[in-house]
Amino acid sequence: MLAAQKQRITELFQAAVAPLVTGTELNPTVTLERPRDPSHGDVACNLAMQIAKPLKKNPREVAQALVAALLDNPANRDLIESAEIAGPGFINLRLTAASRQAVVKTVLQQGAQYGKSKLGADKKVIIEFVSANPTGPLHVGHGRQGALGDAMSSLFDAQGYAVTREFYYNDAGVQIATLATSVQARAKGLKPGVDGWPESAYNGDYIQDIANDFIAQKTVSASDGLPVTASGNIDDIESIRAFAVAYLRREQDLDLQAFGVKFDNYYLESSLYNDGKVAKTVDALIKADKTYELDGALWLRTTDYRDDKDRVMKKTDGTYTYFVPDVAYHTVKWQRGFTQAINVQGSDHHGTIARVRAGLQALDIGIPQGYPDYVLHKMVTVMKNGEEVKISKRAGSYVTLRDLIEWSNGETAEGEARDLTRGRDAVRFFLISRKADTEFVFDVDIALTQGDENPVYYVQYAHARICSVLKQAEGSDFDEAALVDVDLSPLTAPREASLLAKLAEYPETLQKALEELGPHQVAFYLRDLAGELHSYYNAERVLVDDVALKMARIALMHATRQVLRNGLALIGVSAPTRM
């Protein structure tokens, strides 16, 4: 049911229960749910069972009193068709046909705004995702973060929040030093496996590409950075480092563009050191007496904040451990006014959660205990031609995001421009189609199929199928703009009732997905909506001879197409008109 209808029914129950609890301390909450079995009705309420025991009454008798008051209320106004009492005192309601059909008019009126709300008005949220080290191409795990983080950002956007999408670059530390020495070794003519090749070096072919461009003294720049020109001096390790980081940041930018993911801000880990924020954070923790020295290292008392053991902050060599700049970074997020922060990261970051939160609590600057929120995803296994794929020649040891997009795109005819829309759509849809904390098998062969087993094709085909029907209807004598006023009463077929109910679920689905930080629910919903559309299409004809019925069904098709478009746009997937 629609939000306005849910509110009306809630108010009807509140009015019905008021006389029963007058003079008591009871303040019951009206909870409305959809019955698991549609044959039980459209709405279920357990209000009678909540208050029966404290009132010392039989719950079924209480339910009868509630139902009588509810149906007699003039505010009902043909909203409820019938009410039944089930089991020990559940109240099941059936909405009138007109109430169920009202969703079509609502969708047609609201268009692209259907499903959106102002729930988060005046609230700021920062969502950090991908955040790859600039040491190589983006891998499929980064892709899963990109799909989850971007869809989650769109969910918050849709509910009125002021959303900032942020990419945090770990451009400092041991890995960056390893990148520089790897490029330097390649520039000197060394290759993996030969004498003199650094043991911890990166072995992918992309390292040779960077070395070649460095020697050629080329200039590169990331989307948010100043141009960096290579010195060409293979002994200038600092120039190599700066050039390699800029080179790979640019490569990652190109991969993200191909994936359709954009960020509002890029934040460099190096800036935390350069601006003194890490040192200030450590000093503040020392002054707060939250640290101690042991065996030449500086420790944080994280056990004071429910961690299983204290953690080293500063190692004996004077360098900071991984979580220290993270504490400084999240302090900056809080100071920037983001009272809600969400991090989308791989499950290998699980161990840092307690440490980061403990560090933030130890600073005692008003940050709440659960700050920031984390959405951790598990690994993605890639299958192609029936076999698991583990290695990309370019990356050296893993499948890249670009590989996955190109493989899922299929072959391009000779001479045609390379359009990666199909591959991007498949990868984005697939990577949010499971709950983040479950492992996922990405089967490229399924992504290339054009059938029901391919979920993104199944949903997009539902949209294209409606477009085909409506194109045929263009020859009919009807005014598309006037569809909002079409008489919807002929929509009484069982498949129509199911489709109408599914359309009405969309706004609630978005709100639930936001509350649970689970954008996979949008993919689930779209698959279900497409299923209802395909079932309806196979059961009923839209362009029938009966003009009134035809117009009602055309309006229903327009509404269904709009909701499919809205949902696909939210997760960054296209809505093709032809398949």
Side-chain angles (χ1 to χ4, degrees):
M1 61 186 158
L2 296 169
Q5 295 171 340
K6 185 174 183 178
Q7 181 60 34
R8 283 181 58 196
I9 293 174
T10 299
E11 291 170 356
L12 287 170
F13 270 114
Q14 289 170 338
V17 76
L20 300 180
V21 298
T22 298
T24 74
E25 295 182 355
L26 294 178
N27 185 25
T29 300
V30 177
T31 302
L32 304 179
E33 298 178 341
R34 287 191 300 272
R36 292 183 180 180
D37 185 347
S39 66
H40 293 166
D42 301 303
V43 187
C45 183
N46 68 350
L47 183 59
M49 297 166 64
Q50 279 188 56
I51 64 174
K53 188 173 182 179
L55 290 178
K56 298 180 181 180
K57 293 185 178 181
N58 183 296
R60 287 186 64 90
E61 291 179 2
V62 174
Q64 289 171 355
L66 290 173
V67 166
L70 186 142
L71 295 179
D72 287 344
N73 192 329
N76 184 359
R77 294 198 302 274
D78 298 326
L79 175 64
I80 300 170
E81 180 180 86
S82 65
E84 297 175 356
I85 301 169
F90 285 104
I91 299 174
N92 293 331
L93 307 179
R94 296 181 191 278
L95 302 183
T96 62
S99 298
R100 291 193 295 269
Q101 294 155 359
V103 65
V104 173
K105 183 173 182 178
T106 299
V107 174
L108 294 177
Q109 287 176 328
Q110 297 182 5
Q113 297 302 308
Y114 179 67
K116 297 183 178 182
S117 78
K118 297 299 182 183
L119 181 70
D122 301 322
K123 297 179 183 177
K124 292 175 62 177
V125 60
I126 184 169
I127 303 179
E128 178 206 331
F129 56 104
V130 181
S131 295
N133 296 334
T135 55
L138 299 178
H139 55 62
V140 293
H142 296 134
R144 193 172 193 186
Q145 289 180 37
L148 288 167
D150 197 46
M152 200 175 302
S153 299
S154 294
L155 278 170
F156 277 86
D157 274 331
Q159 302 306 314
Y161 287 78
V163 181
T164 294
R165 294 165 166 86
E166 186 151 288
F167 189 126
Y168 176 67
Y169 273 114
N170 299 104
D171 65 332
V174 175
Q175 291 178 317
I176 300 302
T178 301
L179 171 66
T181 55
S182 302
V183 173
Q184 185 180 52
R186 286 278 196 171
K188 290 180 176 180
L190 300 177
K191 293 184 178 181
V194 304
D195 290 341
W197 182 255
E199 183 178 348
S200 60
Y202 297 112
N203 298 327
D205 287 353
Y206 69 94
I207 298 294
Q208 184 67 64
D209 296 337
I210 300 171
N212 293 341
D213 284 0
F214 178 81
I215 293 171
Q217 299 181 15
K218 291 190 176 180
T219 299
V220 294
S221 62
S223 60
D224 69 320
L226 295 173
V228 176
T229 301
S231 69
N233 180 359
I234 62 176
D235 294 319
D236 187 349
I237 193 69
E238 180 55 31
S239 178
I240 292 174
R241 184 203 64 77
F243 181 80
V245 168
Y247 182 103
L248 286 170
R249 288 192 63 198
R250 178 180 177 276
E251 288 293 300
Q252 292 180 358
D253 286 344
L254 294 174
D255 288 346
L256 291 168
Q257 288 172 23
F259 202 37
V261 172
K262 296 180 180 179
F263 288 89
D264 301 304
N265 192 48
Y266 293 86
Y267 200 100
L268 304 184
E269 180 186 2
S270 58
S271 71
L272 294 168
Y273 292 94
N274 296 338
D275 297 342
K277 291 185 173 64
V278 172
K280 288 178 182 177
T281 299
V282 174
D283 288 344
L285 290 170
I286 293 173
K287 290 177 181 177
D289 195 26
K290 299 298 181 181
T291 66
Y292 61 91
E293 292 188 12
L294 179 67
D295 299 328
L298 181 67
W299 296 69
L300 180 66
R301 301 180 192 278
T302 55
T303 50
D304 291 350
Y305 303 95
R306 296 174 299 281
D307 198 3
D308 58 344
K309 61 181 180 180
D310 291 341
R311 306 290 177 173
V312 174
M313 291 178 59
K314 195 173 186 178
K315 294 181 284 186
T316 54
D317 63 2
T319 60
Y320 295 111
T321 52
Y322 182 82
F323 81 94
V324 177
D326 274 3
V327 174
Y329 174 44
H330 287 90
T331 301
V332 172
K333 286 183 180 180
W334 179 260
Q335 292 169 341
R336 288 159 65 192
F338 294 109
T339 54
Q340 183 171 10
I342 301 167
N343 296 345
V344 184
Q345 298 174 325
S347 56
D348 56 330
H349 286 75
H350 185 272
T352 67
I353 296 176
R355 299 170 219 182
V356 171
R357 287 176 173 170
L360 294 171
Q361 290 298 296
L363 289 169
D364 194 22
I365 57 175
I367 298 177
Q369 289 184 4
Y371 189 94
D373 293 312
Y374 287 86
V375 174
L376 302 183
H377 70 85
K378 291 193 175 178
M379 65 179 292
V380 179
T381 300
V382 179
M383 301 290 293
K384 189 170 183 270
N385 298 324
E387 298 180 351
E388 182 178 350
V389 185
K390 293 184 178 180
I391 296 176
S392 160
K393 184 177 181 226
R394 182 164 178 266
S397 60
Y398 57 84
V399 176
T400 69
L401 173 60
R402 180 62 71 102
D403 288 333
L404 202 57
I405 294 172
E406 292 182 347
W407 292 343
S408 302
N409 201 65
E411 298 294 329
T412 300
E414 189 174 348
E416 285 188 8
R418 186 70 160 158
D419 181 357
L420 295 176
T421 300
R422 180 183 176 189
R424 183 198 68 213
D425 286 348
V427 175
R428 286 185 69 123
F429 195 100
F430 275 46
L431 291 181
I432 72 155
S433 63
R434 294 288 185 277
K435 196 174 179 182
D437 62 2
T438 60
E439 293 188 2
F440 180 67
V441 176
F442 190 110
D443 193 321
V444 175
D445 299 332
I446 292 178
L448 291 171
T449 60
Q450 297 187 3
D452 293 357
E453 67 272 28
N454 180 349
V456 67
Y457 177 86
Y458 186 72
V459 174
Q460 289 178 322
Y461 182 54
H463 181 270
R465 179 172 253 179
I466 295 173
C467 290
S468 176
V469 171
L470 295 179
K471 188 174 182 179
Q472 295 176 50
E474 287 177 359
S476 304
D477 184 20
F478 80 93
D479 180 2
E480 184 173 328
L483 284 177
V484 71
D485 296 320
V486 163
D487 177 15
L488 301 170
S489 62
L491 299 177
T492 57
R495 288 294 179 188
E496 286 166 342
S498 298
L499 184 53
L500 290 165
K502 184 57 65 176
L503 292 176
E505 288 177 18
Y506 181 67
E508 187 178 346
T509 297
L510 297 193
Q511 291 187 15
K512 185 178 178 184
L514 181 143
E515 291 167 4
E516 299 179 5
L517 302 182
H520 64 280
Q521 296 183 43
V522 181
F524 288 177
Y525 171 84
L526 289 170
R527 183 70 187 265
D528 290 345
L529 178 59
E532 292 292 352
L533 182 280
H534 291 312
S535 296
Y536 174 67
Y537 183 89
N538 293 330
E540 307 287 348
R541 271 198 324 121
V542 175
L543 305 181
V544 294
D545 294 333
D546 185 321
V547 175
L549 179 58
K550 179 180 70 174
M551 295 307 298
R553 288 181 172 175
I554 287 174
L556 175 59
M557 290 298 96
H558 269 273
T560 304
R561 181 175 67 172
Q562 183 66 63
V563 176
L564 285 167
R565 282 180 178 173
N566 292 359
L568 287 168
L570 189 143
I571 60 174
V573 176
S574 68
T577 58
R578 297 176 62 186
M579 298 289 285

